[in-house]
Amino acid sequence: MTAEPKSRADKRFMGAAIRFARRHQGLTGTNPSVSCILMDEAVSPPRIIGAGVTALGGRPHAEPLAIEHALADPRGAVAYVTLEPCAHHGRTPPCAQALIDAGINRVFTSIVDPDGRVSGKGHAMLREAGIEVSERIAADYAHPGLAAYLNQKTTNRAQVTLKLAVSGDGYLGLEGAGQIAITDQVARSQSHLLRANHHAIMVGAGTICEDDPSLNCRLPGLEGRSPVRVILDANGRSPLDATVFKTADKIRTIMVAPHDLEASRRNALAQLGCEFLACEMGKGLIALPELLEDLGAMGLVSILVEGGAALARSFLEEDLVDELVLFEGGMKIASSGKKAVASPVSPGNVPSGFEADYHLELCGDRMTRYRRIRNS
Ligand code: AOF
Ligand code: ZN
């Protein structure tokens, strides 16, 4: 058997680290979920002797966990870290120093940390200690998992994924018909996976009134990964007996409304366990860029916008959509006599500036993810 070329093995080991980091994605607050894999490459084939992922809540960081739980002495080992190891004394000492102290021989990293306390300094610390460092290994593969963190650090606001489920004839639903099935079970499971992978799910009051949704993740085993629910209600019209409010004691729920929201309504929401976030207004509507800044500062750095059509349109018009996920159902729905709700986007008219980067065929339905190409 011929030995695997070193550069290919590096990418493969980094790939394993990137997949391992997904374990705590969305569960580490404002901190990214990073992973560190320690390899003994003096043996053939190389073997993993340690692995760590940023702890729930964001600390400890990945590297000291990998070192602490290593199955063998990590001296001389090679580290694969999905983000540049930190260089600052925060609530924990610098991870670059932890790698140096552990006697790590070589470090591969994937993404340079944009955090001003770290950026470039983590790599420099390692090099100054005589450690060979290779950067940007499998960076394209690592990017989606760190995108929300990178976006928050560079733009100061939460990242937005807009999800739309469009029927075969281009509609989102029928007015007054409540929730209607656009896609089948397999596609719905994918949309619940999207919920599990985001910090928060956002809808407007119209969706609460029309659909009375649960907005949780109902995939078996992932119920605990339900995102925080954010309800936008500028005019106080969502009913207090809606499912989201009745379950606000179990899943964190935030009502976003103007600061002068009626006191009785505010108290009633508080009693149900629903938080209140006062927002800025502009032209009678909730100011979305400011709201995304507030949510980002609260550690909710990835937001899945799920409805309805008006909110989707506002996000698109204000150029606040970073990722667009389009589900296309096979069925046509417009024939039943009710007014159909047109979608602001359909597979044939995706706004310019978006590029498809992922596609799934889902038993008759389809899902395509488009990423906003931003010039940075
Ligand atoms: C790492 N490994 O696992 C993570 C890192 O508030 P602190 O002190 O925890 O620092 C937060 C910063 O640490 C965060 O902005 C990012 O730069 C880095 N995250 N670094 O070496 C990790 N999660
Ligand atoms: Zn660190």
Side-chain angles (χ1 to χ4, degrees):
M1 200 176 77
T2 48
E4 184 178 15
K6 180 75 181 95
S7 65
R8 201 162 73 203
D10 299 341
K11 282 199 188 124
R12 196 158 62 80
F13 299 148
M14 186 61 86
I18 291 163
R19 286 186 294 279
F20 188 44
R22 288 181 195 153
R23 182 170 291 198
H24 286 172
Q25 200 176 321
L27 302 174
T28 52
T30 49
N31 230 330
S33 179
V34 174
S35 109
C36 170
I37 287 185
L38 302 176
M39 302 286 303
D40 178 355
E41 297 191 5
V43 294
S44 180
R47 67 185 184 117
I48 295 177
I49 57 162
V53 60
T54 312
L56 299 180
R59 292 164 208 94
H61 290 181
E63 300 88 327
L65 288 171
I67 293 164
E68 187 186 333
H69 299 296
L71 301 172
D73 187 343
R75 259 174 297 173
V78 179
Y80 292 82
V81 195
T82 57
L83 183 73
E84 176 181 9
C86 71
H88 66 290
H89 284 269
R91 289 186 229 176
T92 51
C95 291
Q97 193 59 49
L99 294 170
I100 296 166
D101 294 345
I104 299 298
N105 185 37
R106 187 153 188 211
V107 176
F108 291 88
T109 68
S110 190
I111 303 260
V112 175
D113 191 344
D115 187 315
R117 299 168 297 175
V118 180
S119 198
K121 300 186 189 87
H123 289 141
M125 258 176 97
L126 294 167
R127 290 192 175 108
E128 273 157 31
I131 296 175
E132 193 178 337
V133 179
S134 302
E135 304 176 26
R136 296 175 214 279
I137 307 299
D140 287 346
Y141 188 46
H143 195 273
L146 288 166
Y149 165 75
L150 299 173
N151 180 72
Q152 158 74 10
K153 277 279 173 262
T154 48
T155 67
N156 224 12
R157 67 165 177 83
Q159 172 176 273
V160 172
T161 304
L162 174 63
K163 180 220 134 178
L164 291 167
V166 184
S167 65
D169 45 357
Y171 297 108
L172 298 178
L174 298 174
E175 270 179 22
Q179 292 195 37
I180 59 167
I182 300 278
T183 55
D184 228 325
Q185 193 50 44
V186 178
R188 274 208 293 277
S189 299
Q190 281 296 325
S191 73
H192 278 249
L193 197 56
L194 269 182
R195 290 180 175 185
N197 283 331
H198 284 78
H199 284 158
I201 181 167
M202 180 187 285
V203 298
T207 298
I208 301 295
C209 297
E210 280 269 324
D211 297 356
D212 190 21
S214 303
L215 304 180
N216 55 0
C217 173
R218 295 192 288 281
L219 289 177
L222 287 182
E223 296 87 349
R225 297 288 298 262
S226 288
V228 174
R229 300 175 298 192
V230 179
I231 319 297
L232 270 57
D233 191 353
N235 305 306
R237 64 193 177 108
S238 41
L240 292 174
D241 63 351
T243 303
V244 278
F245 301 127
K246 282 195 292 198
T247 54
D249 57 335
K250 294 184 189 68
I251 302 176
R252 188 172 169 204
T253 306
I254 302 173
M255 163 63 80
V256 178
H259 67 91
D260 55 358
L261 177 71
E262 224 176 278
S264 59
R265 191 174 171 78
R266 202 163 152 170
N267 290 339
L269 286 166
Q271 284 205 330
L272 290 165
C274 180
E275 292 170 37
F276 170 65
L277 176 63
C279 61
E280 289 181 37
M281 299 290 289
K283 297 184 193 145
L285 297 171
I286 291 173
L288 297 177
E290 289 77 2
L291 174 61
L292 293 178
E293 276 181 29
D294 291 347
L295 293 172
M298 290 162 71
L300 302 174
V301 300
S302 62
I303 314 289
L304 179 65
V305 176
E306 270 217 15
L311 190 61
R313 231 174 234 114
S314 299
F315 271 102
L316 285 164
E317 277 167 13
E318 296 195 43
D319 194 20
L320 293 170
V321 177
D322 301 296
E323 261 183 34
L324 177 65
V325 178
L326 210 55
F327 286 89
E328 297 167 61
M331 285 178 301
K332 297 192 175 178
I333 61 167
S335 54
S336 65
K338 292 200 151 115
K339 189 163 183 279
V341 182
S343 173
V345 175
S346 61
N349 78 349
V350 172
S352 62
F354 284 93
E355 180 183 78
D357 73 339
Y358 188 59
H359 180 80
L360 288 176
E361 293 290 327
L362 302 163
C363 302
D365 301 321
R366 290 137 67 92
M367 184 191 108
T368 311
R369 185 178 70 193
Y370 302 84
R371 250 198 312 157
R372 188 91 171 105
I373 309 301
R374 298 198 187 273
N375 304 321
S376 51

